[in-house]
Amino acid sequence: MGGSVWHVIAKALLPEALPALLAATTLTIVMLIGFSSMAGVIGGGGLGDLAIRYGYQRFNNQIMVGTVLILVLMVQAVQMGGDRLVRSLAHRR
């Protein structure tokens, strides 16, 4: 059609692939939050370690519920933000 390779990439391939790439990035961030909280269970530090050490082992339900709520809110915020961006960039109706 007369377009260069870079023109085809910039004007056709990248705009079509951007929603899928953004959805995959959102999923990766959500999974990293989950993995980091599970790493805290085995001594990796972070919110998972705080929930286990101070909440579960010391029978402090307020700390345990608080850290779980923080983790859920973090995941929910990332997921909702990513989904909104994907929806705004998708070319579907």
Side-chain angles (χ1 to χ4, degrees):
M1 295 289 218
S4 67
V5 173
W6 295 108
H7 190 260
V8 170
I9 290 173
K11 297 292 183 181
L13 295 178
L14 196 57
E16 286 295 321
L18 193 59
L21 290 172
L22 191 60
T25 304
T26 301
L27 179 66
T28 302
I29 292 170
V30 167
M31 295 301 293
L32 283 173
I33 292 171
F35 289 155
S36 67
S37 66
M38 290 306 295
V41 172
I42 59 170
L47 285 174
D49 185 45
L50 180 74
I52 292 295
R53 187 172 297 170
Y54 294 106
Y56 182 72
Q57 291 177 349
R58 294 184 183 182
F59 302 106
N60 193 343
N61 290 335
Q62 292 175 340
I63 291 178
M64 186 133 129
V65 169
T67 54
V68 169
L69 280 175
I70 289 171
L71 287 169
V72 168
L73 289 175
M74 284 173 53
V75 167
Q76 191 68 27
V78 168
Q79 188 71 48
M80 286 176 62
D83 287 346
R84 278 200 182 133
L85 283 173
V86 168
R87 197 176 309 123
S88 70
L89 291 174
H91 296 288
R92 293 179 257 165
R93 294 183 192 253

Coordinates of all heavy atoms in Angstrom, one line a residue:
M1 N 0.8 -1.2 0.0 CA 0.0 0.0 0.0 C 0.9 1.3 0.0 O 0.3 2.3 0.1 CB -0.9 0.0 1.2 CG -1.9 -1.1 1.2 SD -3.1 -0.7 0.0 CE -4.6 -1.3 0.7
G2 N 2.2 1.1 0.0 CA 3.0 2.3 0.0 C 3.5 2.8 1.3 O 4.3 3.7 1.3
G3 N 3.2 2.1 2.4 CA 3.7 2.5 3.7 C 5.0 1.8 4.0 O 5.2 0.7 3.6
S4 N 5.8 2.5 4.8 CA 7.0 1.9 5.2 C 6.7 0.9 6.4 O 5.6 0.9 6.9 CB 8.0 3.0 5.7 OG 7.6 3.6 6.9
V5 N 7.8 0.2 6.8 CA 7.6 -0.8 7.8 C 7.2 -0.1 9.1 O 6.3 -0.5 9.9 CB 8.9 -1.6 8.0 CG1 8.8 -2.5 9.2 CG2 9.1 -2.4 6.8
W6 N 7.9 1.0 9.4 CA 7.7 1.8 10.7 C 6.3 2.4 10.7 O 5.6 2.5 11.7 CB 8.7 2.8 10.9 CG 10.1 2.1 11.2 CD1 11.1 2.1 10.3 CD2 10.4 1.4 12.3 NE1 12.2 1.4 10.8 CE2 11.8 0.9 12.1 CE3 9.8 1.0 13.5 CZ2 12.4 0.1 13.0 CZ3 10.5 0.2 14.4 CH2 11.8 -0.2 14.1
H7 N 5.8 2.8 9.5 CA 4.5 3.4 9.4 C 3.4 2.4 9.7 O 2.4 2.6 10.3 CB 4.3 4.0 8.0 CG 3.1 4.9 7.9 ND1 2.0 4.4 7.3 CD2 2.8 6.1 8.3 CE1 1.0 5.3 7.3 NE2 1.5 6.4 7.9
V8 N 3.6 1.2 9.1 CA 2.7 0.1 9.4 C 2.6 -0.3 10.8 O 1.6 -0.5 11.4 CB 3.0 -1.1 8.5 CG1 2.2 -2.4 8.9 CG2 2.8 -0.8 7.0
I9 N 3.8 -0.4 11.5 CA 3.9 -0.7 12.9 C 3.2 0.4 13.7 O 2.4 0.1 14.6 CB 5.3 -0.9 13.3 CG1 5.9 -2.2 12.7 CG2 5.4 -1.0 14.8 CD1 7.4 -2.4 12.9
A10 N 3.5 1.6 13.5 CA 3.0 2.7 14.3 C 1.5 3.0 14.1 O 0.8 3.4 15.0 CB 3.8 4.0 14.0
K11 N 1.0 2.8 12.8 CA -0.3 3.2 12.5 C -1.3 2.0 12.5 O -2.5 2.3 12.6 CB -0.4 3.9 11.2 CG 0.4 5.2 11.1 CD -0.3 6.2 12.0 CE 0.5 7.5 11.9 NZ -0.1 8.6 12.7
A12 N -0.8 0.8 12.4 CA -1.8 -0.3 12.3 C -1.5 -1.4 13.4 O -2.5 -1.7 14.2 CB -1.6 -1.0 10.9
L13 N -0.3 -1.9 13.5 CA -0.1 -3.0 14.5 C -0.2 -2.5 15.9 O -0.8 -3.2 16.7 CB 1.2 -3.6 14.2 CG 1.4 -4.3 12.8 CD1 2.8 -4.9 12.6 CD2 0.4 -5.4 12.7
L14 N 0.5 -1.5 16.3 CA 0.6 -1.0 17.7 C -0.8 -0.6 18.2 O -1.2 -1.0 19.3 CB 1.6 0.1 17.8 CG 2.0 0.3 19.3 CD1 2.6 -0.9 19.9 CD2 3.1 1.4 19.3
P15 N -1.6 0.2 17.5 CA -2.9 0.6 18.0 C -3.8 -0.6 18.2 O -4.7 -0.7 19.1 CB -3.5 1.5 17.0 CG -2.3 2.1 16.3 CD -1.3 1.0 16.3
E16 N -3.7 -1.6 17.3 CA -4.5 -2.8 17.5 C -4.1 -3.7 18.6 O -4.9 -4.4 19.3 CB -4.5 -3.6 16.2 CG -5.3 -3.0 15.0 CD -6.8 -3.0 15.3 OE1 -7.3 -3.9 15.9 OE2 -7.4 -2.0 15.0
A17 N -2.8 -3.7 18.9 CA -2.3 -4.6 20.0 C -2.3 -3.9 21.3 O -2.2 -4.6 22.4 CB -0.9 -5.0 19.6
L18 N -2.4 -2.6 21.4 CA -2.3 -1.9 22.6 C -3.3 -2.3 23.7 O -2.9 -2.5 24.9 CB -2.4 -0.4 22.4 CG -2.0 0.5 23.5 CD1 -0.5 0.2 23.9 CD2 -2.1 2.0 23.2
P19 N -4.6 -2.5 23.4 CA -5.5 -3.0 24.5 C -5.1 -4.3 25.1 O -5.2 -4.5 26.3 CB -6.9 -3.0 23.8 CG -6.8 -2.1 22.6 CD -5.4 -2.1 22.2
A20 N -4.7 -5.2 24.2 CA -4.3 -6.6 24.7 C -3.0 -6.5 25.6 O -2.9 -7.1 26.6 CB -4.1 -7.5 23.6
L21 N -2.1 -5.6 25.1 CA -0.9 -5.4 25.9 C -1.2 -4.8 27.3 O -0.6 -5.2 28.3 CB 0.1 -4.5 25.1 CG 0.8 -5.2 23.9 CD1 1.6 -4.1 23.1 CD2 1.6 -6.3 24.3
L22 N -2.1 -3.8 27.3 CA -2.5 -3.2 28.5 C -3.2 -4.1 29.5 O -3.0 -4.1 30.7 CB -3.3 -1.9 28.2 CG -3.5 -1.0 29.4 CD1 -2.2 -0.5 30.0 CD2 -4.4 0.1 29.0
A23 N -4.1 -5.0 28.9 CA -4.8 -6.0 29.7 C -3.8 -7.0 30.3 O -3.9 -7.4 31.5 CB -5.8 -6.7 28.9
A24 N -2.8 -7.4 29.6 CA -1.8 -8.3 30.1 C -0.9 -7.6 31.2 O -0.6 -8.3 32.2 CB -0.9 -8.8 28.9
T25 N -0.6 -6.3 31.0 CA 0.1 -5.6 32.0 C -0.7 -5.5 33.3 O -0.1 -5.6 34.4 CB 0.5 -4.2 31.5 OG1 1.2 -4.4 30.3 CG2 1.3 -3.4 32.5
T26 N -2.0 -5.2 33.2 CA -2.8 -5.1 34.4 C -2.9 -6.5 35.1 O -2.8 -6.5 36.3 CB -4.3 -4.8 33.9 OG1 -4.2 -3.5 33.3 CG2 -5.2 -4.7 35.1
L27 N -3.0 -7.6 34.4 CA -3.0 -8.9 35.0 C -1.7 -9.2 35.7 O -1.7 -9.7 36.8 CB -3.3 -9.9 33.9 CG -3.3 -11.4 34.4 CD1 -4.5 -11.6 35.4 CD2 -3.4 -12.3 33.2
T28 N -0.6 -8.8 35.0 CA 0.7 -9.0 35.6 C 0.9 -8.2 36.9 O 1.4 -8.8 37.9 CB 1.8 -8.6 34.6 OG1 1.7 -9.3 33.4 CG2 3.2 -8.8 35.2
I29 N 0.4 -7.0 37.0 CA 0.5 -6.2 38.2 C -0.4 -6.8 39.3 O 0.1 -6.9 40.5 CB 0.1 -4.7 38.0 CG1 1.1 -4.1 37.1 CG2 0.0 -4.0 39.2 CD1 0.7 -2.7 36.5
V30 N -1.6 -7.3 39.0 CA -2.4 -7.9 40.0 C -1.8 -9.2 40.5 O -1.8 -9.5 41.7 CB -3.8 -8.2 39.4 CG1 -4.6 -9.1 40.2 CG2 -4.6 -6.9 39.1
M31 N -1.2 -10.0 39.6 CA -0.5 -11.2 40.0 C 0.7 -10.9 40.9 O 1.0 -11.6 41.9 CB -0.1 -12.0 38.8 CG -1.3 -12.5 38.0 SD -2.5 -13.6 39.0 CE -1.5 -15.0 39.3
L32 N 1.4 -9.8 40.6 CA 2.6 -9.5 41.4 C 2.2 -9.0 42.8 O 2.9 -9.3 43.8 CB 3.4 -8.4 40.7 CG 4.3 -8.8 39.6 CD1 4.9 -7.6 38.9 CD2 5.4 -9.7 40.1
I33 N 1.0 -8.4 42.9 CA 0.5 -8.0 44.3 C 0.2 -9.3 45.1 O 0.5 -9.4 46.2 CB -0.7 -7.1 44.2 CG1 -0.3 -5.7 43.6 CG2 -1.4 -6.9 45.5 CD1 -1.4 -4.8 43.3
G34 N -0.5 -10.2 44.4 CA -0.8 -11.5 45.1 C 0.4 -12.3 45.4 O 0.5 -12.8 46.5
F35 N 1.4 -12.4 44.5 CA 2.6 -13.1 44.8 C 3.4 -12.5 45.9 O 4.0 -13.2 46.7 CB 3.5 -13.3 43.5 CG 2.9 -14.2 42.5 CD1 3.2 -14.0 41.2 CD2 2.0 -15.2 42.8 CE1 2.7 -14.8 40.2 CE2 1.4 -16.0 41.9 CZ 1.8 -15.8 40.6
S36 N 3.5 -11.1 46.0 CA 4.2 -10.5 47.0 C 3.6 -10.7 48.4 O 4.3 -10.8 49.4 CB 4.4 -9.0 46.7 OG 3.2 -8.3 46.8
S37 N 2.2 -10.7 48.4 CA 1.6 -11.0 49.7 C 1.8 -12.5 50.1 O 2.0 -12.7 51.3 CB 0.1 -10.7 49.6 OG -0.6 -11.6 48.7
M38 N 1.8 -13.4 49.2 CA 2.1 -14.8 49.5 C 3.6 -15.0 49.9 O 3.9 -15.8 50.7 CB 1.7 -15.7 48.4 CG 0.3 -15.8 48.2 SD -0.7 -16.3 49.6 CE 0.0 -17.9 49.9
A39 N 4.5 -14.2 49.3 CA 5.9 -14.2 49.7 C 6.1 -13.8 51.1 O 7.0 -14.3 51.9 CB 6.7 -13.4 48.8
G40 N 5.2 -12.9 51.6 CA 5.3 -12.4 53.0 C 4.9 -13.6 54.0 O 5.4 -13.6 55.1
V41 N 4.1 -14.5 53.5 CA 3.7 -15.6 54.4 C 4.9 -16.5 54.7 O 5.1 -17.0 55.8 CB 2.6 -16.5 53.7 CG1 2.3 -17.7 54.4 CG2 1.4 -15.6 53.5
I42 N 5.9 -16.6 53.7 CA 7.0 -17.5 54.0 C 8.3 -16.6 54.3 O 9.4 -17.1 54.3 CB 7.4 -18.3 52.7 CG1 7.6 -17.5 51.5 CG2 6.2 -19.3 52.5 CD1 8.1 -18.3 50.3
G43 N 8.0 -15.4 54.8 CA 9.1 -14.6 55.3 C 9.7 -13.5 54.3 O 10.8 -13.0 54.5
G44 N 9.0 -13.2 53.3 CA 9.5 -12.3 52.3 C 9.3 -10.8 52.6 O 9.8 -10.0 51.9
G45 N 8.6 -10.5 53.7 CA 8.3 -9.2 54.1 C 7.1 -8.6 53.4 O 6.4 -9.3 52.6
G46 N 6.7 -7.4 53.7 CA 5.6 -6.7 53.1 C 4.3 -6.9 53.8 O 4.3 -7.3 55.0
L47 N 3.2 -6.7 53.1 CA 1.9 -6.8 53.8 C 1.5 -8.2 54.2 O 0.8 -8.4 55.2 CB 0.8 -6.2 52.8 CG 0.8 -4.7 52.7 CD1 -0.2 -4.2 51.7 CD2 0.5 -4.0 54.1
G48 N 1.9 -9.2 53.4 CA 1.6 -10.6 53.8 C 2.4 -10.9 55.1 O 1.8 -11.6 55.9
D49 N 3.6 -10.5 55.2 CA 4.3 -10.8 56.5 C 3.7 -10.0 57.6 O 3.6 -10.6 58.7 CB 5.8 -10.3 56.3 CG 6.6 -10.7 57.5 OD1 6.5 -11.8 58.0 OD2 7.4 -9.8 57.9
L50 N 3.2 -8.8 57.4 CA 2.5 -8.1 58.5 C 1.3 -8.8 58.9 O 1.0 -8.9 60.1 CB 2.2 -6.6 58.0 CG 1.5 -5.7 59.0 CD1 2.5 -5.3 60.1 CD2 1.0 -4.5 58.3
A51 N 0.5 -9.2 57.9 CA -0.8 -9.9 58.3 C -0.5 -11.2 59.0 O -1.2 -11.5 60.0 CB -1.5 -10.2 57.0
I52 N 0.5 -12.0 58.6 CA 0.7 -13.2 59.3 C 1.4 -13.0 60.7 O 0.9 -13.6 61.7 CB 1.7 -14.1 58.5 CG1 0.9 -14.6 57.2 CG2 2.2 -15.3 59.2 CD1 -0.3 -15.5 57.5
R53 N 2.4 -12.2 60.7 CA 3.2 -12.0 62.0 C 2.4 -11.3 63.1 O 2.3 -11.8 64.2 CB 4.5 -11.3 61.7 CG 5.4 -11.3 62.9 CD 6.7 -10.7 62.6 NE 7.4 -11.6 61.6 CZ 8.5 -11.4 61.0 NH1 9.0 -10.2 61.1 NH2 9.0 -12.2 60.1
Y54 N 1.8 -10.2 62.7 CA 1.1 -9.4 63.7 C -0.4 -9.7 63.8 O -1.0 -9.5 64.9 CB 1.3 -7.9 63.5 CG 2.8 -7.5 63.6 CD1 3.6 -7.2 62.5 CD2 3.3 -7.4 64.9 CE1 4.9 -6.9 62.7 CE2 4.7 -7.0 65.1 CZ 5.4 -6.8 64.0 OH 6.7 -6.4 64.1
G55 N -1.0 -10.1 62.8 CA -2.4 -10.4 62.8 C -2.7 -11.8 63.2 O -3.4 -12.1 64.2
Y56 N -2.2 -12.8 62.5 CA -2.6 -14.2 62.7 C -1.9 -14.8 63.9 O -2.5 -15.4 64.7 CB -2.2 -15.0 61.4 CG -2.6 -16.4 61.5 CD1 -4.0 -16.8 61.5 CD2 -1.7 -17.4 61.6 CE1 -4.3 -18.1 61.5 CE2 -2.0 -18.8 61.7 CZ -3.4 -19.1 61.7 OH -3.7 -20.4 61.7
Q57 N -0.6 -14.6 64.0 CA 0.2 -15.3 65.1 C 0.0 -14.6 66.4 O 0.1 -15.3 67.4 CB 1.7 -15.3 64.7 CG 2.0 -16.2 63.6 CD 3.5 -16.2 63.2 OE1 4.2 -15.3 63.7 NE2 3.9 -17.1 62.3
R58 N -0.4 -13.4 66.4 CA -0.6 -12.7 67.7 C -2.1 -12.5 68.0 O -2.5 -11.8 68.9 CB 0.1 -11.3 67.7 CG 1.6 -11.4 67.7 CD 2.2 -10.0 67.8 NE 3.6 -10.1 67.8 CZ 4.4 -9.1 67.9 NH1 3.9 -7.9 68.1 NH2 5.7 -9.3 67.8
F59 N -3.0 -13.1 67.2 CA -4.4 -13.1 67.3 C -5.0 -11.7 67.4 O -5.9 -11.4 68.1 CB -4.8 -13.9 68.6 CG -4.4 -15.3 68.6 CD1 -3.4 -15.7 69.4 CD2 -5.0 -16.2 67.8 CE1 -2.9 -17.0 69.4 CE2 -4.6 -17.5 67.8 CZ -3.5 -17.9 68.6
N60 N -4.4 -10.8 66.5 CA -4.9 -9.4 66.4 C -5.7 -9.3 65.1 O -5.2 -9.1 64.1 CB -3.7 -8.5 66.4 CG -4.1 -7.0 66.6 OD1 -5.3 -6.7 66.5 ND2 -3.2 -6.2 67.0
N61 N -7.0 -9.5 65.3 CA -7.9 -9.5 64.1 C -7.9 -8.2 63.4 O -8.2 -8.1 62.2 CB -9.3 -10.0 64.5 CG -9.3 -11.4 64.9 OD1 -8.5 -12.2 64.5 ND2 -10.2 -11.8 65.8
Q62 N -7.8 -7.1 64.1 CA -7.9 -5.8 63.5 C -6.7 -5.6 62.5 O -7.0 -5.1 61.3 CB -7.8 -4.7 64.5 CG -9.0 -4.6 65.4 CD -8.9 -3.5 66.5 OE1 -7.8 -3.1 66.8 NE2 -10.0 -3.1 67.0
I63 N -5.5 -6.0 62.8 CA -4.4 -5.8 61.9 C -4.6 -6.8 60.7 O -4.3 -6.4 59.6 CB -3.1 -6.1 62.6 CG1 -2.8 -4.9 63.6 CG2 -1.9 -6.2 61.6 CD1 -1.6 -5.1 64.4
M64 N -5.0 -8.0 61.0 CA -5.2 -9.0 59.9 C -6.3 -8.5 58.9 O -6.1 -8.5 57.7 CB -5.6 -10.3 60.5 CG -5.6 -11.4 59.4 SD -4.8 -12.8 60.0 CE -6.0 -14.0 59.6
V65 N -7.4 -8.1 59.4 CA -8.5 -7.6 58.5 C -8.0 -6.3 57.8 O -8.3 -6.2 56.6 CB -9.8 -7.4 59.3 CG1 -10.8 -6.6 58.5 CG2 -10.3 -8.7 59.8
G66 N -7.3 -5.4 58.5 CA -6.8 -4.2 57.8 C -5.9 -4.5 56.7 O -6.0 -3.9 55.6
T67 N -4.9 -5.4 56.9 CA -4.0 -5.7 55.8 C -4.7 -6.4 54.7 O -4.4 -6.1 53.5 CB -2.8 -6.5 56.3 OG1 -3.3 -7.7 57.0 CG2 -1.9 -5.7 57.3
V68 N -5.6 -7.3 55.0 CA -6.3 -7.9 53.9 C -7.2 -6.9 53.1 O -7.2 -7.0 51.9 CB -7.2 -9.1 54.5 CG1 -8.2 -9.6 53.4 CG2 -6.3 -10.2 55.0
L69 N -7.8 -6.0 53.8 CA -8.6 -5.0 53.1 C -7.7 -4.1 52.2 O -8.1 -3.7 51.1 CB -9.3 -4.1 54.1 CG -10.6 -4.7 54.7 CD1 -11.2 -3.7 55.7 CD2 -11.6 -4.9 53.5
I70 N -6.5 -3.7 52.7 CA -5.6 -3.0 51.9 C -5.2 -3.7 50.7 O -5.1 -3.1 49.6 CB -4.3 -2.6 52.8 CG1 -4.7 -1.5 53.8 CG2 -3.2 -2.0 51.9 CD1 -3.6 -1.3 54.8
L71 N -4.9 -5.0 50.8 CA -4.5 -5.8 49.6 C -5.7 -5.9 48.6 O -5.5 -5.8 47.4 CB -4.1 -7.2 50.0 CG -2.7 -7.3 50.7 CD1 -2.5 -8.7 51.3 CD2 -1.6 -7.0 49.7
V72 N -6.9 -6.1 49.1 CA -8.0 -6.2 48.2 C -8.3 -4.9 47.5 O -8.6 -4.8 46.3 CB -9.3 -6.6 49.0 CG1 -10.6 -6.4 48.2 CG2 -9.2 -8.1 49.5
L73 N -8.1 -3.7 48.3 CA -8.3 -2.4 47.7 C -7.3 -2.1 46.6 O -7.6 -1.5 45.6 CB -8.4 -1.3 48.7 CG -9.6 -1.3 49.6 CD1 -9.4 -0.3 50.7 CD2 -10.8 -1.1 48.8
M74 N -6.0 -2.5 46.9 CA -5.0 -2.3 45.9 C -5.3 -3.1 44.6 O -5.2 -2.6 43.5 CB -3.6 -2.8 46.5 CG -3.0 -1.8 47.4 SD -1.5 -2.5 48.2 CE -0.5 -3.0 46.9
V75 N -5.6 -4.4 44.7 CA -5.9 -5.2 43.6 C -7.1 -4.6 42.8 O -7.1 -4.5 41.6 CB -6.2 -6.7 44.0 CG1 -6.8 -7.5 42.9 CG2 -4.9 -7.3 44.4
Q76 N -8.2 -4.2 43.6 CA -9.4 -3.7 43.0 C -9.1 -2.4 42.2 O -9.6 -2.2 41.1 CB -10.5 -3.5 44.0 CG -11.8 -3.2 43.4 CD -12.4 -4.4 42.7 OE1 -12.1 -5.5 43.1 NE2 -13.3 -4.1 41.8
A77 N -8.3 -1.5 42.8 CA -7.9 -0.3 42.1 C -7.2 -0.5 40.8 O -7.4 0.1 39.8 CB -7.2 0.6 43.1
V78 N -6.2 -1.4 40.9 CA -5.4 -1.7 39.7 C -6.2 -2.3 38.6 O -6.2 -2.0 37.4 CB -4.2 -2.6 40.1 CG1 -3.5 -3.1 38.8 CG2 -3.2 -1.8 40.9
Q79 N -7.1 -3.3 39.0 CA -7.9 -4.0 38.1 C -8.9 -3.0 37.4 O -9.1 -3.1 36.2 CB -8.6 -5.1 38.7 CG -9.4 -6.0 37.8 CD -8.4 -6.9 37.0 OE1 -7.5 -7.5 37.5 NE2 -8.7 -6.9 35.7
M80 N -9.6 -2.2 38.2 CA -10.6 -1.3 37.6 C -9.9 -0.2 36.7 O -10.5 0.1 35.7 CB -11.3 -0.6 38.8 CG -12.3 -1.5 39.4 SD -13.2 -0.7 40.8 CE -14.0 0.7 40.1
G81 N -8.8 0.3 37.1 CA -8.1 1.3 36.3 C -7.6 0.7 35.0 O -7.8 1.3 33.9
G82 N -7.1 -0.5 35.1 CA -6.6 -1.2 33.8 C -7.8 -1.6 32.9 O -7.7 -1.4 31.7
D83 N -8.9 -2.0 33.5 CA -10.1 -2.3 32.7 C -10.6 -1.1 32.0 O -11.1 -1.1 30.9 CB -11.1 -3.0 33.5 CG -10.8 -4.4 33.9 OD1 -9.8 -5.0 33.3 OD2 -11.4 -5.0 34.8
R84 N -10.6 0.0 32.7 CA -11.1 1.3 32.1 C -10.3 1.7 30.9 O -10.7 2.2 29.9 CB -11.2 2.4 33.1 CG -12.4 2.3 34.0 CD -12.7 3.6 34.6 NE -13.9 3.5 35.4 CZ -14.0 3.9 36.7 NH1 -13.0 4.5 37.2 NH2 -15.1 3.7 37.4
L85 N -8.9 1.6 31.1 CA -8.0 2.0 30.1 C -8.2 1.1 28.9 O -8.2 1.5 27.7 CB -6.6 2.0 30.5 CG -6.1 3.2 31.4 CD1 -4.7 2.9 31.9 CD2 -6.2 4.4 30.6
V86 N -8.3 -0.2 29.1 CA -8.5 -1.2 28.0 C -9.8 -0.9 27.3 O -9.8 -0.9 26.0 CB -8.5 -2.6 28.5 CG1 -9.0 -3.6 27.5 CG2 -7.1 -3.0 29.0
R87 N -10.9 -0.6 28.0 CA -12.1 -0.3 27.4 C -12.1 1.0 26.6 O -12.7 1.1 25.5 CB -13.2 -0.2 28.5 CG -14.6 -0.3 27.9 CD -15.7 -0.2 29.0 NE -15.5 -1.2 30.0 CZ -15.4 -0.9 31.3 NH1 -15.5 0.4 31.7 NH2 -15.2 -1.8 32.2
S88 N -11.3 2.0 27.0 CA -11.2 3.2 26.3 C -10.4 3.1 25.0 O -10.6 3.8 24.1 CB -10.7 4.3 27.2 OG -9.3 4.1 27.5
L89 N -9.4 2.2 25.1 CA -8.5 2.0 23.9 C -9.0 1.0 22.9 O -8.5 1.0 21.8 CB -7.1 1.6 24.4 CG -6.3 2.7 25.1 CD1 -5.0 2.1 25.6 CD2 -6.1 3.9 24.2
A90 N -9.9 0.2 23.3 CA -10.4 -0.9 22.4 C -11.3 -0.3 21.3 O -12.0 0.7 21.5 CB -11.3 -1.9 23.2
H91 N -11.1 -0.8 20.1 CA -11.9 -0.3 19.0 C -13.2 -1.0 18.7 O -13.9 -0.7 17.8 CB -11.0 -0.4 17.7 CG -9.7 0.4 17.8 ND1 -9.7 1.7 17.7 CD2 -8.5 0.0 17.9 CE1 -8.5 2.2 17.8 NE2 -7.7 1.1 17.9
R92 N -13.6 -1.8 19.7 CA -14.8 -2.5 19.6 C -16.0 -1.6 20.0 O -15.8 -0.6 20.7 CB -14.9 -3.7 20.5 CG -13.9 -4.8 20.0 CD -13.9 -5.9 21.0 NE -12.8 -5.8 21.8 CZ -12.6 -6.5 22.9 NH1 -13.5 -7.2 23.4 NH2 -11.5 -6.3 23.6
R93 N -17.2 -1.9 19.5 CA -18.4 -1.2 19.9 C -19.0 -1.8 21.1 O -19.1 -2.8 21.4 CB -19.3 -1.1 18.7 CG -18.7 -0.3 17.6 CD -19.7 -0.2 16.5 NE -19.0 0.3 15.3 CZ -19.2 1.5 14.8 NH1 -20.0 2.3 15.4 NH2 -18.6 1.9 13.8

